[in-house]
Amino acid sequence: MKFGKSICILNVGGTKYAFPKDVIKDFPLRRVSRLHNCVSEKEVLEVCDDYDRERNEFFFDRHSEAFVFIMLYVKSGKLRFVPQMCELSFYNEMIYWGLESSHLEFCCQRRLDDRMSDTYTYFSEEDIKTEQELRDDDDLDNSTGTERGSAKWLERMRRTFEEPTSSVAAQILASVSVIFVIMSMVILCASTLPDWDTAKNNSAEEHRIIEAVCIGWFTAECIVRFIVSRDKCEFVRRPLNIIDLLAITPYYVSVVMTVLTGENPQLQRAGVTLRVLRMMRIFWLIKLARHFLGLQTLGLTLKRCYREMVMLLVFVCVAMAIFSALAQLLEHGLDLEASNEDYASIPAACWWVIISMTTVGYGDMYPITMPGRVLGGVCVVSGIVLLALPITFIYHSFVQCYHELRFRSNRCTRSLSAEFLD
């Protein structure tokens, strides 16, 4: 610093701090240490908000209480959040002064990570527009009146079909879709009853009409959603849309095969494949995830907790390998004359291990030797402990996802109420 007095005064939000020039040079905060290399007032004003040359006072229009905790870090080397202050606001102050999240204490780092995860869910997915949306808005502003009206109509249609709580029309459409899903599932379940064939012979035409109407509705809905979607490739890659396609396709496959082959043995040979495809319509139940908060919460929880789910699977597989090998040895390998044939192989013992660890216990196979029974008790207790370990993480994630989705739902409901009142 080529100007000013030997004492520098930092005025942060009205609170003043006095430091010698030599201290400013090696100050732990990068923004403050940059003042030492400034050779003109212009460069100083690039670092701070204002400068008083007579008093050599540097003004920073920042949060004074947050800077107090940052100064405590400078003195003691421990950085913690300000009580009753938003973690993200404090993190913003840290970035301004040249600190990073790694400077925080471990407990505060976890709080910051959780808070940033919440903010990503609330805003980046719902509130902050994507680059594609921004380009669409720019194109909409630069387009003619007819094009602008067409784009607005497509956006309204997209929200109606993709966001069930976006408007009254969207709610009505979602209700109709749920009714058709329930009707289709009732027919699918009833078709497996022993008396269904007799009832179908008496009213075959009615059943075919109901099935055709349900398939027609789902097909039309899927086509419209594809037409009004912003990104066609992204639409095709979405899991729910893939499930929709897998649920609709079997009906058209069966119709085509009936038309091509007629009622003859060739169709009977293809009956197994058609029955498998027909049973895939059960995936229509997943369509309810668009309309029910509970299913959305479950899906979001599984998406976020896939590491914990993999960890749980690894626990179970390792325990299954150990206990199945020991069970096969104790029940079959040691005493060949009085061996338990249910445990003739390790794969066969794996079935016993999994039903024991999950405390299901069908009773179809069980140990008969004393060492085997002791091993069975250890297997059950180990299963309870291993399954309980990741449950805490999954539970907290489920609660967090539920609150986030409920927050979105309540916000959309408020918007819908305002739209209805207007």
Side-chain angles (χ1 to χ4, degrees):
M1 186 180 296
K2 308 298 183 182
F3 58 95
K5 303 177 181 178
S6 59
I7 300 296
C8 299
I9 300 176
L10 304 182
N11 190 324
V12 182
T15 305
K16 297 182 180 181
Y17 304 85
F19 301 98
K21 283 187 177 181
D22 296 338
V23 174
I24 293 293
K25 178 181 179 181
D26 300 321
F27 208 78
L29 304 180
R30 284 199 301 268
R31 182 168 290 271
V32 177
S33 61
R34 284 169 56 190
L35 293 173
H36 186 271
N37 298 324
C38 296
V39 295
S40 64
E41 290 190 23
K42 182 179 180 180
E43 293 184 5
V44 170
L45 293 177
E46 293 178 356
V47 179
C48 61
D49 296 306
D50 200 1
Y51 174 65
D52 188 340
R53 189 181 185 89
E54 294 182 359
R55 293 180 294 180
N56 200 30
E57 185 172 354
F58 303 87
F59 295 88
F60 297 88
D61 188 14
R62 307 301 299 183
H63 197 285
S64 59
E65 189 175 358
F67 190 74
V68 171
F69 277 72
I70 292 176
M71 288 301 299
L72 290 177
Y73 163 74
V74 173
K75 295 179 180 179
S76 63
K78 295 183 178 181
L79 181 60
R80 294 185 175 91
F81 284 128
V82 179
Q84 308 301 325
M85 182 178 179
C86 176
E87 291 86 353
L88 296 180
S89 298
F90 187 79
Y91 182 56
N92 187 36
E93 294 292 325
M94 290 171 51
I95 295 176
Y96 177 83
W97 294 108
L99 298 178
E100 300 177 356
S101 59
S102 58
H103 293 101
L104 285 166
E105 294 294 297
F106 179 71
C107 58
C108 295
Q109 285 188 31
R110 293 201 310 179
R111 284 176 54 189
L112 179 62
D113 292 340
D114 293 340
R115 184 60 175 166
M116 293 181 71
S117 176
D118 295 346
T119 305
Y120 175 81
T121 302
Y122 286 157
F123 297 100
S124 66
E125 295 182 1
E126 293 292 327
D127 297 334
I128 298 179
K129 293 185 176 181
T130 62
E131 295 181 1
Q132 180 64 36
E133 290 175 323
L134 291 174
R135 287 194 296 267
D136 293 342
D137 290 344
D138 292 339
D139 295 339
L140 185 62
D141 293 337
N142 297 329
S143 60
T144 62
T146 304
E147 294 175 346
R148 186 181 299 108
S150 177
K152 288 183 177 180
W153 180 83
L154 287 175
E155 178 64 19
R156 188 178 296 110
M157 288 290 293
R158 187 196 67 81
R159 289 177 60 85
T160 300
F161 279 87
E162 294 287 351
E163 303 174 12
T165 58
S166 61
S167 64
V168 176
Q171 287 191 346
I172 296 175
L173 192 67
S175 301
V176 174
S177 181
V178 170
I179 292 173
F180 276 110
V181 170
I182 295 175
M183 289 175 55
S184 179
M185 290 301 101
V186 170
I187 294 176
L188 179 62
C189 295
S191 64
T192 60
L193 295 175
D195 299 333
W196 174 256
D197 292 335
T198 303
K200 189 174 182 180
N201 292 332
N202 297 332
S203 56
E205 190 65 25
E206 296 178 4
H207 295 155
R208 282 197 293 267
I209 292 175
I210 294 175
E211 186 177 23
V213 170
C214 293
I215 295 294
W217 171 266
F218 295 135
T219 303
E221 182 184 12
C222 188
I223 292 174
V224 172
R225 289 176 51 245
F226 176 78
I227 293 175
V228 301
S229 62
R230 293 196 187 98
D231 190 344
K232 302 298 187 292
C233 295
E234 179 65 22
F235 178 88
V236 174
R237 289 195 297 265
R238 289 179 183 175
L240 285 179
N241 298 330
I242 295 175
I243 292 172
D244 290 344
L245 183 62
L246 292 177
I248 295 172
T249 303
Y251 176 81
Y252 294 103
V253 173
S254 62
V255 170
V256 171
M257 294 190 67
T258 302
V259 172
L260 295 178
T261 61
E263 299 294 337
N264 54 35
Q266 295 184 14
L267 182 60
Q268 297 298 326
R269 287 194 293 268
V272 176
T273 303
L274 291 179
R275 283 195 294 270
V276 172
L277 293 175
R278 182 182 177 85
M279 196 55 62
M280 291 177 62
R281 289 163 55 188
I282 198 67
F283 289 121
W284 278 341
L285 286 174
I286 304 180
K287 289 171 63 68
L288 299 178
R290 301 180 188 274
H291 316 297
F292 291 100
L293 184 64
L295 293 176
Q296 296 175 14
T297 304
L298 177 61
L300 185 58
T301 302
L302 294 177
K303 180 180 178 181
R304 292 188 178 181
C305 295
Y306 73 93
R307 292 187 180 88
E308 287 76 11
M309 300 298 292
V310 171
M311 180 173 61
L312 177 61
L313 181 62
V314 171
F315 288 167
V316 172
C317 291
V318 171
M320 188 187 305
I322 295 174
F323 285 113
S324 60
L326 294 177
Q328 193 274 338
L329 176 65
L330 296 176
E331 290 294 315
H332 188 271
L334 295 180
D335 189 357
L336 297 179
E337 296 181 357
S339 61
N340 190 343
E341 294 301 328
D342 292 336
Y343 297 83
S345 64
I346 291 180
C350 285
W351 169 250
W352 170 79
V353 171
I354 191 63
I355 63 176
S356 298
M357 291 183 64
T358 56
T359 66
V360 175
Y362 289 117
D364 54 343
M365 57 188 299
Y366 50 87
I368 58 177
T369 64
M370 183 57 66
R373 291 176 178 176
V374 173
L375 179 67
V378 176
C379 179
V380 172
V381 175
S382 300
I384 295 174
V385 174
L386 291 178
L387 294 176
L389 289 177
I391 294 300
T392 303
F393 300 101
I394 299 174
Y395 166 76
H396 286 298
S397 179
F398 181 86
V399 172
Q400 182 182 9
C401 293
Y402 175 75
H403 288 305
E404 292 175 6
L405 293 176
R406 190 174 64 176
F407 172 82
R408 297 183 196 172
S409 178
N410 292 338
R411 182 175 56 186
C412 291
T413 302
R414 289 194 297 268
S415 301
L416 178 61
S417 300
E419 177 184 347
F420 183 77
L421 292 176
D422 292 340

